[in-house]
Amino acid sequence: MIGLEYEGERDPLRRRGLLGVAATMLSVGLWPAVPANATDEASAEEPATGHWQPVAMVTAEARAAGVTLGGEGCQWPQSIEVDQVDGDFLLFLSDVGGVWRSLDGSKTWEPCNVGFTPRGATDAAIDPHFPHRILMSGMNSMGSKFNGVYLSEDRAASWRPVQLASYSGFADRRVKLAFDPTTRDDAAGMTRVAYWSRTDDRAKPDNWGDMDINPGLYRSDDGGATWARLNPAASDAAGHSALAVHAESGRVFAANERGVFISDDRGESFRQTLAIPVTSIAVVPHRPDEVWVTLVDGLMYSSDAGQTWAAVETVGLDEPLVGTDGQREATPRQNVRFQDLQISPADPDRMAMSSHADDWRFHRHISHDGGRTWATASVEPTHAFMPQNERDGIYAWHPTDPDRVWSFGGDWPTASTDGGQTYHWAGNGQNAIFVGGTFNLNPHHPGLLFLSSQDYNGGVTRDHGHTWSYTNVSGFGWGGFAYSGLALSPDVLAAGLSDGGWSVPRRLKVSRDGGATWTEVADHYWVTDRSHPNYGYDTGLVHPLDPNIAFVSHYRTDDLGQTWTDLEGCSGVFAADADGRLYGAQARAQEADVVVSDDHGLTWSVLCTVPGTIDDLSVTADGRSVYLASQNRLWRISTSMDASAVIGSPLLLVSTPKTGTGLHRVATVSVDPQNPQRIYVGQRIDLHAADVGVLRSEDGGVTWTNLNLTEPLDGQRLDGGREPQCVRVDPHTGDLWVTTGCYGVWKFVTE
């Protein structure tokens, strides 16, 4: 019974009604919030019946031009790597959106994070002789015990940790991992010696969290399977360095802010040969005695394997540089530092380099005459859906074709076929957009959905995700922080815009022309601080029975977005049943109410109170069961309990599997509107990735199937749906839509 009230206030268990009993027992300690020694550990069954399908944001024009997967990375690129055998195998590494691979020279990409627990990666080394073996440096902006060095022995189809390290390494784009090509072992099928230069995280202000500070130079003598930190003197010289290895002698080069150090005894000892701050180093494979370094203000060159150095006289690097937006004043050379030098193994006279200004401007430079003259490379973003953000130009040259080189556009891969002079979009298959808050599909317009992005404004689809149109909620050229995106109709959109940060108040904005232009609704905003009276959830919902009624955070409209009023007693509307009853949450500093409305959101009554926060909520079509994501667990409220039922039984803890790292992290839930026994939940960890993330139950939560891929990639199944941010069942098709924390947008199509 919903909203059952009792007279009097003598018994605290009766003040909130029968369905509030469970929360009262929680608050007075009669019922633990989460059982301390819970025995409700469910297991995830395999395999799942269905398949992952990437929902790539592709315009109709791009589809017509042959782009079938499309989409962008939309997370900051950290590195791009290519094998040194045939150039068909590439890796694309992001900061928090995982890793992708291409097996066809960047024509198509797929995520490849099976067994890879870190949220991102900054560097990888592909074995120069056996390219199915790769070492990768896993990291995130916060220290995690699951970061460190990972090894793949199947061309990134799967990974395993070989040197875990609780460190950050955010934006540390040095070449930190390097194989010694002189240690080829054909019998073992590996290049035996590899090096890892581990940084001191305390030196970078962007790194935070609990970290195990143990910098230095590490060496593996078994192809990366095991590692040992070298002696303190060697580690002091080569720690926090960019590494390179001589292709014939195995000499190790370590370049850092103190200069260049070289070792001829596999890292056991080093001697310094250059005492000038160095930003990157490059060795020419077929001319191994030629070594190049970038300085803050130029280049130096050695023709004797790093023993002596000379400055390089250049032409074309002293011109003022203008950002890709073309709107800011040029940056003079003295305010630019050079970095990220890469040299073509097919033609050592071809070089690519980047420059970085402190005002978020990055430039790409190309030389075809051995570093004497330089030109500024251009990026052509045709087919890119998102704006071209300013990003570092890190490079990977094809091993045998001097005309081919890969880099970044905005947050996606680019490829050049003219030796690095011009780069074109090459992101087919990538998708890592972060959607801000929850989302809901429009119940009255099949295929209509607006996904607002925390970093890139957002996109609108009117055909179930087949094609998309970009919408600039913020008006910024680089993107914008948009939340609670909702398509009220094909023409009317609404979202909350946060100017300049994740936790900044969201201002309600409305578009009445399909996202072409946006207007702010004056004095309508919500904040992320639960103790604030104007707190609101990042939610959006269109009423299932009346297309004119909709909700965005704690605001309501009944005239298709013309006017908006504040909800009384509800901080956000999450779901509705088939009869039009609405279900939401009213948040307070230490607890939250599950609230319901039978009058289209005009008034709200408390169904149940829970401690902490409510992260998500879903309801069966008949309204008999409400499912909550709260306290990292899944809970069920039975709304059909008789008044004589046992006290406390309406709120039940539902058994769900833990993530692969032993945690319960339920963050989102959705019930299939056509099948009340089919429930989906999503688990995400944020600091590292959950391999038991999207779960499905076909029996009301008794047993569960893990929908995330845990077996190596096989060319058929895709590695989709990691770190789910929000799960929703399409009421028109029954497909599961999953937005993720930086791993893109996916559908799981049931077979």
Side-chain angles (χ1 to χ4, degrees):
M1 297 177 65
I2 298 176
L4 181 63
E5 298 293 335
Y6 291 87
E7 296 291 332
E9 297 185 354
R10 291 180 297 170
D11 185 351
L13 297 182
R14 293 190 172 185
R15 288 186 215 157
R16 300 181 187 176
L18 177 61
L19 297 181
V21 165
T24 304
M25 297 183 73
L26 284 165
S27 65
V28 299
L30 299 178
W31 186 10
V34 176
N37 298 304
T39 58
D40 61 331
E41 304 304 333
S43 60
E45 300 176 349
E46 296 283 359
T49 55
H51 65 275
W52 286 107
Q53 180 183 65
V55 182
M57 291 188 169
V58 181
T59 64
E61 293 77 12
R63 286 279 184 187
V67 179
T68 57
L69 293 176
E72 276 72 60
C74 299
Q75 300 304 320
W76 198 304
Q78 302 293 297
S79 183
I80 191 165
E81 310 288 343
V82 63
D83 76 83
Q84 292 303 301
V85 177
D86 58 22
D88 286 337
F89 171 46
L90 290 98
L91 289 172
F92 181 93
L93 286 54
S94 77
D95 55 350
V96 291
V99 184
W100 292 268
R101 73 172 184 175
S102 175
L103 302 178
D104 55 13
S106 81
K107 295 177 183 177
T108 59
W109 297 82
E110 66 173 331
C112 56
N113 298 285
V114 176
F116 186 69
T117 305
R119 288 297 305 272
T122 56
D123 186 36
I126 301 174
D127 189 312
H129 304 299
F130 305 94
H132 62 283
R133 305 186 77 256
I134 312 103
L135 294 169
M136 189 154 62
S137 174
M139 49 62 67
N140 189 10
S141 56
M142 183 173 179
S144 166
K145 65 181 180 180
F146 295 100
N147 289 346
V149 180
Y150 282 68
L151 171 66
S152 173
E153 298 177 280
D154 52 14
R155 291 212 298 180
S158 63
W159 301 87
R160 62 183 175 92
V162 290
Q163 181 68 28
L164 291 175
S166 185
Y167 80 122
S168 168
F170 175 69
D172 182 12
R173 299 180 186 88
R174 298 171 297 117
V175 177
K176 299 176 290 297
L177 288 163
F179 281 98
D180 179 352
T182 68
T183 62
R184 174 173 181 163
D185 186 337
D186 288 328
M190 68 173 67
T191 299
R192 283 204 161 272
V193 175
Y195 300 93
W196 175 42
S197 178
R198 179 175 173 182
T199 188
D200 185 341
D201 290 301
R202 293 170 296 190
K204 292 179 68 71
D206 290 333
N207 298 331
W208 54 291
D210 295 329
M211 289 176 283
D212 175 18
I213 307 300
N214 194 15
L217 183 65
Y218 293 69
R219 188 182 71 205
S220 173
D221 295 324
D222 54 10
T226 61
W227 294 83
R229 185 176 185 268
L230 298 183
N231 64 75
S235 289
D236 179 67
H240 189 62
S241 296
L243 300 179
V245 182
H246 194 283
E248 294 179 356
S249 69
R251 171 175 287 176
V252 182
F253 302 90
N256 54 43
E257 65 278 359
R258 290 177 291 160
V260 176
F261 300 80
I262 61 176
S263 172
D264 290 313
D265 54 10
R266 292 188 175 172
E268 295 293 339
S269 64
F270 283 84
R271 65 186 186 277
Q272 188 169 11
T273 63
L274 182 64
I276 301 174
V278 171
T279 55
S280 66
I281 186 168
V283 175
V284 180
H286 303 301
R287 299 178 190 169
D289 286 345
E290 296 185 8
V291 187
W292 293 74
V293 296
T294 55
L295 313 177
V296 171
D297 58 354
L299 297 97
M300 295 193 76
Y301 166 79
S302 174
S303 61
D304 55 9
Q307 300 279 37
T308 61
W309 298 88
V312 178
E313 294 294 328
T314 62
V315 175
L317 292 178
D318 56 352
E319 300 176 359
L321 302 170
V322 180
T324 55
D325 58 15
Q327 298 175 0
R328 290 175 287 181
E329 294 181 359
T331 301
R333 176 177 177 175
Q334 59 265 30
N335 296 329
V336 174
R337 61 182 177 273
F338 296 100
Q339 58 194 31
D340 305 322
L341 179 67
Q342 292 288 333
I343 302 173
S344 168
D347 180 359
D349 285 335
R350 296 196 173 192
M351 303 178 176
M353 180 177 63
S354 301
S355 60
H356 180 197
D358 290 332
D359 56 356
W360 292 90
R361 277 189 274 190
F362 305 92
H363 302 85
R364 295 164 176 81
H365 308 279
I366 187 70
S367 173
H368 282 187
D369 61 1
R372 292 186 296 273
T373 60
W374 294 82
T376 300
S378 62
V379 178
E380 171 54 56
T382 300
H383 299 325
F385 183 82
M386 296 297 182
Q388 184 182 333
N389 222 337
E390 296 272 9
R391 292 295 187 242
D392 309 50
I394 301 174
Y395 311 94
W397 288 90
H398 193 280
T400 59
D401 187 344
D403 288 330
R404 297 180 66 187
V405 57
W406 292 271
S407 184
F408 304 142
D411 287 335
W412 55 87
T414 58
S416 173
T417 57
D418 58 9
Q421 298 177 82
T422 306
Y423 293 91
H424 297 270
W425 175 89
N428 206 14
Q430 280 207 286
N431 182 358
I433 189 173
F434 183 99
V435 174
T438 65
F439 71 94
N440 276 295
L441 293 101
N442 190 296
H444 306 284
H445 299 276
L448 177 62
L449 176 63
F450 169 34
L451 295 179
S452 56
S453 171
Q454 179 171 278
D455 301 304
Y456 274 101
N457 289 303
V460 185
T461 180
R462 297 167 177 84
D463 55 11
H464 299 280
H466 184 67
T467 61
W468 294 78
S469 58
Y470 180 72
T471 178
N472 195 340
V473 185
S474 67
F476 301 151
W478 55 268
F481 304 99
Y483 300 83
S484 308
L486 182 67
L488 287 73
S489 74
D491 294 323
V492 181
L493 311 177
L497 178 67
S498 174
D499 288 332
W502 303 339
S503 300
V504 176
R506 289 86 155 98
R507 298 179 288 110
L508 181 62
K509 298 191 74 173
V510 176
S511 172
R512 306 198 68 80
D513 52 14
T517 61
W518 289 84
T519 302
E520 182 176 344
V521 182
D523 301 322
H524 285 58
Y525 72 97
W526 62 95
V527 302
T528 59
D529 180 1
R530 291 174 57 199
S531 64
H532 194 282
N534 214 41
Y535 171 84
Y537 284 97
D538 290 326
T539 58
L541 180 79
V542 176
H543 197 288
L545 303 183
D546 189 337
N548 294 302
I549 298 176
F551 307 88
V552 172
S553 191
H554 60 75
Y555 292 107
R556 176 185 186 272
T557 180
D558 59 10
D559 54 10
L560 204 59
Q562 295 280 4
T563 60
W564 298 81
T565 57
D566 201 344
L567 294 175
E568 296 293 337
C570 181
S571 305
V573 185
F574 287 91
D577 62 26
D579 293 329
R581 176 175 292 156
L582 301 169
Y583 298 78
Q586 172 72 1
R588 293 184 293 280
Q590 302 298 325
E591 60 184 7
D593 296 330
V594 180
V595 293
V596 296
S597 174
D598 292 304
D599 55 8
H600 308 310
L602 293 174
T603 62
W604 297 84
S605 60
V606 176
L607 182 66
C608 182
T609 301
V610 299
T613 187
I614 296 171
D615 297 311
D616 200 8
L617 181 155
S618 189
V619 62
T620 55
D622 58 13
R624 294 173 64 88
S625 294
V626 179
Y627 290 88
L628 306 179
S630 176
Q631 306 173 85
N632 297 321
R633 302 301 300 271
L634 180 66
W635 305 83
R636 181 172 68 87
I637 304 171
S638 174
T639 63
S640 59
M641 294 299 299
D642 184 80
S644 62
V646 177
I647 289 179
S649 59
L651 183 61
L652 302 174
L653 179 63
V654 180
S655 173
T656 55
K658 293 181 179 179
T659 68
T661 52
L663 301 173
H664 283 294
R665 292 302 297 263
V666 174
T668 179
V669 58
S670 183
V671 182
D672 189 328
Q674 304 302 322
N675 182 357
Q677 294 297 303
R678 178 175 290 170
I679 307 165
Y680 296 92
V681 300
Q683 298 191 113
R684 67 175 187 270
I685 301 176
D686 296 327
L687 299 183
H688 59 274
D691 59 352
V692 182
V694 181
L695 301 165
R696 180 178 65 194
S697 175
E698 299 282 7
D699 52 16
V702 178
T703 61
W704 296 89
T705 297
N706 178 26
L707 302 185
N708 289 113
L709 186 62
T710 57
E711 297 297 321
L713 299 175
D714 58 7
Q716 302 296 321
R717 298 171 298 171
L718 292 177
D719 177 26
R722 291 192 181 270
E723 289 295 286
Q725 185 82 2
C726 182
V727 296
R728 292 292 184 265
V729 178
D730 188 329
H732 307 287
T733 67
D735 295 337
L736 177 70
W737 284 70
V738 181
T739 59
T740 69
C742 306
Y743 286 76
V745 183
W746 295 83
K747 285 183 188 179
F748 192 85
V749 181
T750 301
E751 296 172 349

